[in-house]
Amino acid sequence: MTKILIPFLIAICMAGKANGQFSRQAMDSINRLSFQDHALMMQQLGITQFRPGPSGDPSAPNAANTDESKATTYSMLPDPLVFDNGNKVQTKKDWEKRKSELMEHFDREVYGRFPKDIPGVTWKTISVKDTSFGSFPVRIRELSGVVDNSTFPELDVAIRLILGTPLQPSKPVPVIMEFGFDFPAAFMRRMQQDSKEPSWQEQLLAQGWGYAILVPVSFQADNGAGLRQGIIGLANKGQSRKFDDWGTLKAWAWGASRALDYFESDQAVDASRIGIAGLSRYGKAALVAMAYEPRLAIGFIGSSGAGGAKLLRRNLGEQVENLASPAEYHWFAGNFIRYAGPLTPNDLPVDAHQLIALCAPRPVFISCGAPGVEGRWIDQMGMFMAATHAGPVYQLLGKEGLGASVYPDEGVSLDRGEIAFRQHEGGHTLGPNWPWFIRYAARYFNR
Ligand code: GCU
């Protein structure tokens, strides 16, 4: 857990400092307000108690299970290719119907629904700079997606997006957009100097592609206290959420769709070749964005764990009870809390393999680190199992899926089909898998 959290927390703090946030006092108040909002949602759902999740600290008495022999799956997994009424999905047309059924379950019970009238976004260019990134000449645009707040002027919401494209490209370029942080330039330079490897941005520029950083917390805070603000608060005119209203992951995914709208208007970019990437909670967001936004061409889903690519019906690593706690419930619809009491993960109408299946037939690269370095909180095996169980949907659509049923050794890239899986040698990072993902994406983008 420590190994997982420290790099991510450093990044969050850096981003926080850049925005002047996260004093001790502010954190206390965020936690208190999140707790209150969580309690209110529980009260409205009629839940008086919920089961606590296990600890991510392996030395704690209630440590999460890390032993594969005890990782019982709760029951049979729901079949993506069987309708709720028991009929089989046999054709591509059937799949379209089944897909709506699955989306309805994910909307109502897991991630929440997009509101009907989300206010529109107008993209503004804040700055354009021709410079270089490492040895690559690049044009960097700072963009702001200003959300129309005429229905609730008390809240200002804007999406922060940075786009870097090769200088003078001969034709529109593919772009990989990462959910990430907007670090101060000096910090970025230091990171680049310290690193022996080229950054992910340089690796993309070396391909002749562009990179983008979408800053999720610019338009929806990463806590329950912020649910009456940001885009969720604006769409709700400052009121608290209803049971099936969207959670933060869905809001972040909405931001990715708006960034795509911008790319469609920028001549430097080929909007039919946009990929989405993210790590950890941003890996969850990247998978949700892939599932709900058909214009995204490829996904690079890093260490997304529970609430992302890991099967929820598995007693290993992080559990539904953790996700439903005041620290993380905001990522989901209020209804999701019910699965930590009185319901169980077994009662969920859907599981992670079906979320991956919603991306079909588009390619998805599922990435994780080595258990010895990253820990098992993210449940590498649970993500691999979900990937295998999504395969039949890809096959129905004429693709291969993962094309493997045996967990690969560290460093082996299973990337024959439209679902790829690779466990790299490092910890909680996308880092060592970037070259493998780019090689994989090039198969689709450089045709
Ligand atoms: C915690 C949380 C995970 C999440 C991770 C992160 O470990 O339990 O679900 O993915 O933080 O985003 O860093």
Side-chain angles (χ1 to χ4, degrees), residues 343-409:
L343 302 176
T344 71
N346 203 25
D347 297 311
L348 278 164
V350 280
D351 211 321
H353 59 308
Q354 292 164 319
L355 185 67
I356 301 173
L358 290 180
C359 306
R362 293 160 299 150
V364 178
F365 187 112
I366 296 174
S367 162
C368 57
V373 191
E374 184 173 34
R376 286 187 184 272
W377 185 242
I378 61 150
D379 189 4
Q380 291 83 351
M381 177 61 96
M383 298 199 287
F384 174 77
M385 287 168 76
T388 60
H389 287 288
V393 173
Y394 278 81
Q395 282 151 15
L396 179 80
L397 302 181
K399 304 285 182 184
E400 177 154 2
L402 183 62
S405 53
V406 179
Y407 193 85
D409 286 340

Coordinates of all heavy atoms in Angstrom, one line a residue, residues 343-409:
L343 N -26.1 -5.3 0.7 CA -25.8 -6.2 -0.4 C -24.3 -6.6 -0.4 O -23.5 -6.0 0.4 CB -26.1 -5.5 -1.7 CG -27.6 -5.1 -1.9 CD1 -27.8 -4.3 -3.2 CD2 -28.5 -6.3 -1.8
T344 N -23.9 -7.5 -1.2 CA -22.5 -8.0 -1.3 C -22.1 -7.8 -2.8 O -22.9 -7.6 -3.7 CB -22.4 -9.4 -0.9 OG1 -23.0 -10.2 -2.0 CG2 -23.0 -9.7 0.4
P345 N -20.8 -7.9 -3.1 CA -20.3 -7.8 -4.5 C -21.0 -8.8 -5.4 O -21.2 -8.6 -6.5 CB -18.8 -8.1 -4.3 CG -18.5 -7.7 -2.9 CD -19.7 -8.0 -2.1
N346 N -21.4 -9.9 -4.8 CA -22.1 -11.0 -5.5 C -23.4 -10.5 -6.1 O -23.9 -11.0 -7.1 CB -22.4 -12.1 -4.6 CG -22.5 -13.4 -5.3 OD1 -22.0 -13.5 -6.4 ND2 -23.2 -14.3 -4.7
D347 N -24.0 -9.5 -5.5 CA -25.3 -9.0 -5.9 C -25.2 -8.0 -7.0 O -26.2 -7.6 -7.6 CB -26.0 -8.3 -4.7 CG -26.3 -9.2 -3.6 OD1 -26.9 -10.3 -3.9 OD2 -26.0 -8.9 -2.5
L348 N -23.9 -7.5 -7.3 CA -23.7 -6.6 -8.4 C -24.2 -7.2 -9.7 O -23.9 -8.3 -10.1 CB -22.3 -6.2 -8.6 CG -21.7 -5.2 -7.6 CD1 -20.2 -5.3 -7.6 CD2 -22.1 -3.8 -8.0
P349 N -25.0 -6.4 -10.5 CA -25.5 -7.0 -11.8 C -24.4 -7.1 -12.8 O -24.6 -7.7 -13.9 CB -26.6 -6.0 -12.2 CG -26.2 -4.7 -11.5 CD -25.5 -5.1 -10.2
V350 N -23.3 -6.4 -12.6 CA -22.2 -6.4 -13.6 C -20.8 -6.6 -12.8 O -20.8 -6.4 -11.6 CB -22.1 -5.1 -14.3 CG1 -23.2 -5.1 -15.4 CG2 -22.3 -3.9 -13.4
D351 N -19.8 -6.8 -13.6 CA -18.4 -6.8 -13.0 C -17.5 -6.3 -14.1 O -17.8 -6.0 -15.2 CB -18.1 -8.2 -12.5 CG -17.2 -8.2 -11.3 OD1 -16.3 -7.3 -11.3 OD2 -17.3 -9.0 -10.4
A352 N -16.2 -6.2 -13.7 CA -15.2 -5.5 -14.5 C -15.0 -6.0 -15.9 O -14.7 -5.3 -16.8 CB -13.9 -5.5 -13.7
H353 N -15.2 -7.4 -16.0 CA -15.0 -7.9 -17.4 C -16.0 -7.3 -18.4 O -15.7 -7.2 -19.5 CB -15.1 -9.4 -17.4 CG -16.4 -10.0 -16.9 ND1 -17.0 -9.6 -15.7 CD2 -17.3 -10.8 -17.4 CE1 -18.1 -10.2 -15.5 NE2 -18.3 -11.0 -16.6
Q354 N -17.2 -6.9 -17.8 CA -18.2 -6.3 -18.7 C -17.8 -4.9 -19.1 O -18.2 -4.4 -20.1 CB -19.5 -6.5 -18.1 CG -19.9 -8.0 -18.0 CD -21.1 -8.3 -17.1 OE1 -21.1 -7.7 -16.0 NE2 -22.0 -9.1 -17.5
L355 N -17.1 -4.2 -18.1 CA -16.7 -2.9 -18.4 C -15.7 -2.9 -19.6 O -15.7 -2.1 -20.5 CB -16.1 -2.2 -17.2 CG -15.7 -0.7 -17.3 CD1 -16.9 0.1 -17.5 CD2 -14.9 -0.3 -16.1
I356 N -14.8 -3.9 -19.5 CA -13.8 -4.0 -20.6 C -14.5 -4.3 -21.9 O -14.2 -3.8 -22.9 CB -12.7 -5.1 -20.2 CG1 -12.0 -4.7 -18.9 CG2 -11.7 -5.3 -21.4 CD1 -11.1 -5.8 -18.4
A357 N -15.5 -5.2 -21.8 CA -16.2 -5.6 -23.0 C -16.9 -4.5 -23.6 O -17.1 -4.4 -24.9 CB -17.2 -6.7 -22.6
L358 N -17.3 -3.4 -22.8 CA -18.0 -2.3 -23.5 C -17.0 -1.5 -24.4 O -17.4 -0.7 -25.2 CB -18.5 -1.3 -22.4 CG -19.7 -1.8 -21.6 CD1 -20.1 -0.8 -20.5 CD2 -20.9 -2.2 -22.5
C359 N -15.7 -1.8 -24.2 CA -14.7 -1.1 -25.1 C -14.6 -1.8 -26.5 O -14.1 -1.2 -27.4 CB -13.3 -1.1 -24.5 SG -13.3 -0.4 -22.8
A360 N -15.1 -3.0 -26.6 CA -15.0 -3.8 -27.8 C -15.6 -3.1 -29.0 O -16.7 -2.5 -28.8 CB -15.6 -5.2 -27.6
P361 N -15.1 -3.2 -30.2 CA -13.9 -4.0 -30.6 C -12.6 -3.2 -30.5 O -11.6 -3.6 -31.0 CB -14.3 -4.3 -32.0 CG -15.0 -3.1 -32.5 CD -15.8 -2.6 -31.3
R362 N -12.6 -2.0 -29.8 CA -11.4 -1.2 -29.8 C -10.3 -1.8 -28.9 O -10.7 -2.4 -27.9 CB -11.8 0.2 -29.4 CG -12.7 1.0 -30.4 CD -13.4 2.1 -29.7 NE -14.2 1.6 -28.6 CZ -14.5 2.3 -27.5 NH1 -14.0 3.5 -27.3 NH2 -15.3 1.8 -26.6
P363 N -9.1 -1.5 -29.2 CA -8.0 -2.1 -28.4 C -7.8 -1.5 -27.0 O -7.9 -0.2 -26.9 CB -6.7 -1.9 -29.3 CG -7.1 -0.8 -30.3 CD -8.6 -0.9 -30.4
V364 N -7.6 -2.3 -26.1 CA -7.3 -1.9 -24.7 C -6.1 -2.6 -24.2 O -6.0 -3.8 -24.2 CB -8.5 -2.3 -23.8 CG1 -8.3 -1.8 -22.3 CG2 -9.8 -1.7 -24.3
F365 N -5.2 -1.8 -23.6 CA -3.9 -2.4 -23.1 C -4.0 -2.2 -21.6 O -4.0 -1.1 -21.0 CB -2.7 -1.5 -23.6 CG -1.4 -2.1 -23.3 CD1 -0.5 -2.6 -24.3 CD2 -0.8 -2.1 -22.0 CE1 0.7 -3.1 -24.0 CE2 0.4 -2.5 -21.7 CZ 1.2 -3.1 -22.7
I366 N -4.0 -3.4 -20.9 CA -4.1 -3.4 -19.4 C -2.7 -3.6 -18.8 O -2.0 -4.6 -19.1 CB -5.1 -4.5 -19.0 CG1 -6.5 -4.1 -19.5 CG2 -5.1 -4.6 -17.5 CD1 -7.6 -5.1 -19.3
S367 N -2.3 -2.6 -18.0 CA -1.0 -2.6 -17.5 C -1.0 -2.7 -16.0 O -1.8 -2.2 -15.3 CB -0.4 -1.2 -18.0 OG 0.8 -0.9 -17.2
C368 N 0.1 -3.4 -15.5 CA 0.3 -3.4 -14.0 C 1.8 -3.6 -13.7 O 2.5 -3.9 -14.6 CB -0.6 -4.5 -13.4 SG -0.2 -6.1 -14.0
G369 N 2.1 -3.4 -12.4 CA 3.5 -3.6 -12.0 C 3.6 -5.0 -11.4 O 2.7 -5.7 -11.3
A370 N 4.9 -5.2 -11.0 CA 5.2 -6.6 -10.4 C 4.7 -6.6 -8.9 O 4.9 -5.6 -8.2 CB 6.7 -6.8 -10.4
P371 N 4.0 -7.7 -8.5 CA 3.4 -7.7 -7.2 C 4.5 -7.5 -6.1 O 4.2 -6.8 -5.1 CB 2.9 -9.2 -7.1 CG 2.6 -9.5 -8.5 CD 3.6 -8.8 -9.3
G372 N 5.7 -8.0 -6.3 CA 6.8 -7.8 -5.3 C 7.2 -6.3 -5.2 O 7.7 -6.0 -4.1
V373 N 6.9 -5.5 -6.1 CA 7.3 -4.1 -6.1 C 6.0 -3.3 -5.8 O 6.0 -2.4 -5.0 CB 8.0 -3.6 -7.4 CG1 8.6 -2.3 -7.2 CG2 9.0 -4.6 -7.8
E374 N 5.0 -3.5 -6.6 CA 3.8 -2.7 -6.5 C 2.9 -3.1 -5.3 O 2.0 -2.4 -4.9 CB 3.0 -2.8 -7.8 CG 1.8 -1.9 -7.9 CD 1.1 -1.9 -9.2 OE1 1.1 -2.9 -9.9 OE2 0.6 -0.8 -9.6
G375 N 3.0 -4.4 -4.8 CA 2.1 -4.9 -3.9 C 0.9 -5.5 -4.6 O 0.9 -5.5 -5.9
R376 N -0.1 -6.0 -3.9 CA -1.2 -6.7 -4.5 C -2.5 -6.0 -4.3 O -3.6 -6.6 -4.6 CB -1.3 -8.2 -4.0 CG -0.2 -9.1 -4.5 CD -0.5 -10.5 -4.0 NE 0.6 -11.4 -4.4 CZ 0.7 -12.0 -5.6 NH1 -0.3 -11.9 -6.5 NH2 1.7 -12.8 -5.9
W377 N -2.5 -4.8 -3.8 CA -3.7 -4.1 -3.5 C -4.5 -3.9 -4.8 O -5.8 -4.0 -4.8 CB -3.3 -2.7 -3.0 CG -4.4 -1.8 -2.6 CD1 -4.7 -0.5 -3.1 CD2 -5.3 -1.9 -1.5 NE1 -5.7 0.0 -2.4 CE2 -6.1 -0.8 -1.4 CE3 -5.5 -3.0 -0.5 CZ2 -7.2 -0.6 -0.5 CZ3 -6.6 -2.8 0.4 CH2 -7.3 -1.6 0.4
I378 N -3.9 -3.8 -6.0 CA -4.6 -3.6 -7.2 C -5.0 -4.9 -7.9 O -5.7 -4.9 -8.8 CB -3.7 -2.8 -8.3 CG1 -2.4 -3.6 -8.6 CG2 -3.3 -1.4 -7.8 CD1 -1.9 -3.4 -10.0
D379 N -4.6 -6.0 -7.3 CA -5.0 -7.3 -7.8 C -4.7 -7.6 -9.3 O -5.6 -7.6 -10.1 CB -6.5 -7.6 -7.4 CG -6.9 -9.0 -7.7 OD1 -6.0 -9.9 -8.0 OD2 -8.1 -9.3 -7.6
Q380 N -3.4 -7.7 -9.6 CA -3.0 -8.0 -10.9 C -3.7 -9.2 -11.6 O -4.2 -9.1 -12.7 CB -1.5 -8.3 -11.0 CG -0.6 -7.1 -10.7 CD -0.4 -6.9 -9.2 OE1 -1.0 -7.5 -8.3 NE2 0.6 -6.0 -8.8
M381 N -3.9 -10.3 -10.8 CA -4.5 -11.5 -11.3 C -6.0 -11.2 -11.6 O -6.6 -11.6 -12.6 CB -4.4 -12.6 -10.3 CG -5.1 -13.9 -10.7 SD -4.5 -14.5 -12.3 CE -3.3 -15.7 -11.7
G382 N -6.7 -10.4 -10.7 CA -8.1 -10.0 -10.9 C -8.3 -9.2 -12.2 O -9.3 -9.4 -12.8
M383 N -7.3 -8.4 -12.6 CA -7.4 -7.7 -13.8 C -7.2 -8.6 -15.0 O -7.9 -8.5 -16.0 CB -6.4 -6.5 -13.8 CG -6.6 -5.5 -12.7 SD -5.9 -3.9 -12.9 CE -4.2 -4.3 -12.7
F384 N -6.3 -9.5 -14.9 CA -6.0 -10.5 -16.0 C -7.3 -11.3 -16.2 O -7.7 -11.6 -17.3 CB -4.8 -11.4 -15.6 CG -4.6 -12.5 -16.6 CD1 -4.0 -12.2 -17.8 CD2 -5.0 -13.8 -16.3 CE1 -3.8 -13.2 -18.7 CE2 -4.8 -14.8 -17.2 CZ -4.2 -14.5 -18.4
M385 N -7.9 -11.8 -15.1 CA -9.1 -12.6 -15.2 C -10.2 -11.8 -15.9 O -10.9 -12.4 -16.8 CB -9.5 -13.1 -13.9 CG -8.6 -14.2 -13.3 SD -8.9 -14.5 -11.6 CE -10.4 -15.5 -11.7
A386 N -10.4 -10.6 -15.5 CA -11.4 -9.8 -16.2 C -11.1 -9.7 -17.7 O -12.0 -9.7 -18.5 CB -11.5 -8.4 -15.5
A387 N -9.8 -9.5 -18.0 CA -9.5 -9.3 -19.4 C -9.8 -10.6 -20.2 O -10.3 -10.6 -21.3 CB -8.0 -9.0 -19.5
T388 N -9.6 -11.8 -19.6 CA -9.9 -13.0 -20.3 C -11.4 -13.2 -20.5 O -11.9 -13.6 -21.5 CB -9.3 -14.3 -19.6 OG1 -9.9 -14.3 -18.3 CG2 -7.9 -14.3 -19.4
H389 N -12.2 -12.8 -19.5 CA -13.6 -12.9 -19.5 C -14.3 -11.9 -20.4 O -15.5 -12.1 -20.8 CB -14.2 -12.9 -18.1 CG -14.0 -14.1 -17.3 ND1 -14.6 -15.4 -17.6 CD2 -13.1 -14.4 -16.3 CE1 -14.1 -16.3 -16.8 NE2 -13.2 -15.7 -16.0
A390 N -13.6 -10.9 -20.8 CA -14.1 -9.9 -21.8 C -13.9 -10.4 -23.2 O -14.6 -10.0 -24.2 CB -13.4 -8.6 -21.6
G391 N -13.0 -11.4 -23.4 CA -12.6 -11.9 -24.7 C -13.8 -12.3 -25.6 O -13.8 -12.0 -26.8
P392 N -14.7 -13.1 -25.1 CA -15.8 -13.6 -25.9 C -16.6 -12.5 -26.7 O -17.1 -12.7 -27.8 CB -16.7 -14.4 -25.0 CG -15.8 -14.8 -23.9 CD -14.8 -13.7 -23.7
V393 N -16.7 -11.3 -26.0 CA -17.4 -10.2 -26.7 C -16.6 -9.8 -27.9 O -17.1 -9.6 -29.0 CB -17.7 -9.1 -25.7 CG1 -18.2 -7.9 -26.5 CG2 -18.6 -9.5 -24.6
Y394 N -15.3 -9.6 -27.7 CA -14.4 -9.3 -28.8 C -14.5 -10.3 -30.0 O -14.5 -10.0 -31.1 CB -12.9 -9.1 -28.4 CG -12.6 -7.8 -27.7 CD1 -13.0 -7.5 -26.4 CD2 -12.1 -6.7 -28.4 CE1 -12.7 -6.3 -25.8 CE2 -11.8 -5.5 -27.9 CZ -12.1 -5.3 -26.6 OH -11.9 -4.1 -26.0
Q395 N -14.5 -11.6 -29.5 CA -14.6 -12.6 -30.6 C -15.9 -12.6 -31.3 O -15.9 -12.7 -32.6 CB -14.4 -14.0 -29.9 CG -13.0 -14.3 -29.6 CD -12.8 -15.2 -28.4 OE1 -13.7 -15.8 -27.9 NE2 -11.6 -15.2 -27.9
L396 N -17.0 -12.3 -30.6 CA -18.3 -12.1 -31.3 C -18.2 -11.0 -32.4 O -18.8 -11.1 -33.4 CB -19.4 -11.8 -30.3 CG -20.8 -11.6 -30.9 CD1 -21.5 -12.9 -31.2 CD2 -21.7 -10.8 -30.0
L397 N -17.4 -10.0 -32.1 CA -17.3 -8.9 -33.0 C -16.1 -9.1 -34.0 O -15.7 -8.2 -34.7 CB -17.0 -7.6 -32.2 CG -18.1 -7.2 -31.2 CD1 -17.8 -5.9 -30.5 CD2 -19.5 -7.1 -31.9
G398 N -15.6 -10.3 -34.1 CA -14.6 -10.7 -35.1 C -13.2 -10.3 -34.7 O -12.3 -10.3 -35.6
K399 N -13.0 -10.1 -33.4 CA -11.6 -9.8 -33.0 C -11.1 -10.9 -32.1 O -11.9 -11.8 -31.7 CB -11.6 -8.5 -32.2 CG -12.1 -7.3 -33.0 CD -11.2 -6.8 -34.0 CE -11.7 -5.6 -34.8 NZ -10.9 -5.2 -35.8
E400 N -9.9 -10.8 -31.6 CA -9.3 -11.9 -30.9 C -9.6 -11.9 -29.4 O -9.7 -12.9 -28.7 CB -7.8 -12.1 -31.2 CG -7.2 -13.2 -30.3 CD -6.0 -13.7 -31.0 OE1 -5.6 -13.3 -32.0 OE2 -5.4 -14.7 -30.4
G401 N -9.6 -10.6 -28.8 CA -9.7 -10.5 -27.3 C -8.3 -10.7 -26.8 O -7.3 -10.4 -27.5
L402 N -8.1 -11.3 -25.6 CA -6.8 -11.4 -25.1 C -6.0 -12.6 -25.7 O -4.8 -12.5 -25.8 CB -6.9 -11.6 -23.5 CG -5.6 -11.7 -22.7 CD1 -4.8 -10.4 -22.9 CD2 -5.9 -12.0 -21.3
G403 N -6.7 -13.6 -26.1 CA -6.1 -14.7 -26.8 C -5.1 -15.5 -25.9 O -4.2 -16.1 -26.3
A404 N -5.4 -15.5 -24.5 CA -4.5 -16.3 -23.6 C -5.3 -16.5 -22.4 O -6.2 -15.7 -22.0 CB -3.3 -15.5 -23.3
S405 N -5.0 -17.7 -21.7 CA -5.7 -17.9 -20.5 C -4.8 -18.2 -19.3 O -5.2 -18.4 -18.2 CB -6.7 -19.1 -20.7 OG -5.9 -20.2 -21.2
V406 N -3.5 -18.2 -19.6 CA -2.5 -18.4 -18.6 C -1.8 -17.1 -18.2 O -1.4 -16.4 -19.1 CB -1.4 -19.5 -19.0 CG1 -0.4 -19.7 -17.9 CG2 -2.1 -20.8 -19.4
Y407 N -1.7 -16.8 -16.9 CA -1.1 -15.5 -16.5 C 0.3 -15.4 -17.0 O 1.1 -16.3 -16.8 CB -1.2 -15.4 -15.0 CG -0.9 -14.0 -14.5 CD1 -1.9 -13.1 -14.4 CD2 0.4 -13.7 -14.1 CE1 -1.6 -11.8 -14.0 CE2 0.7 -12.4 -13.7 CZ -0.3 -11.5 -13.6 OH 0.0 -10.2 -13.2
P408 N 0.7 -14.4 -17.7 CA 2.0 -14.3 -18.3 C 3.1 -14.0 -17.2 O 2.8 -13.4 -16.2 CB 1.9 -13.1 -19.2 CG 0.8 -12.2 -18.6 CD -0.1 -13.2 -17.9
D409 N 4.3 -14.4 -17.5 CA 5.5 -14.0 -16.7 C 5.6 -12.5 -16.8 O 5.2 -11.8 -17.7 CB 6.8 -14.7 -17.2 CG 6.7 -16.1 -16.8 OD1 6.0 -16.5 -15.9 OD2 7.5 -16.9 -17.5

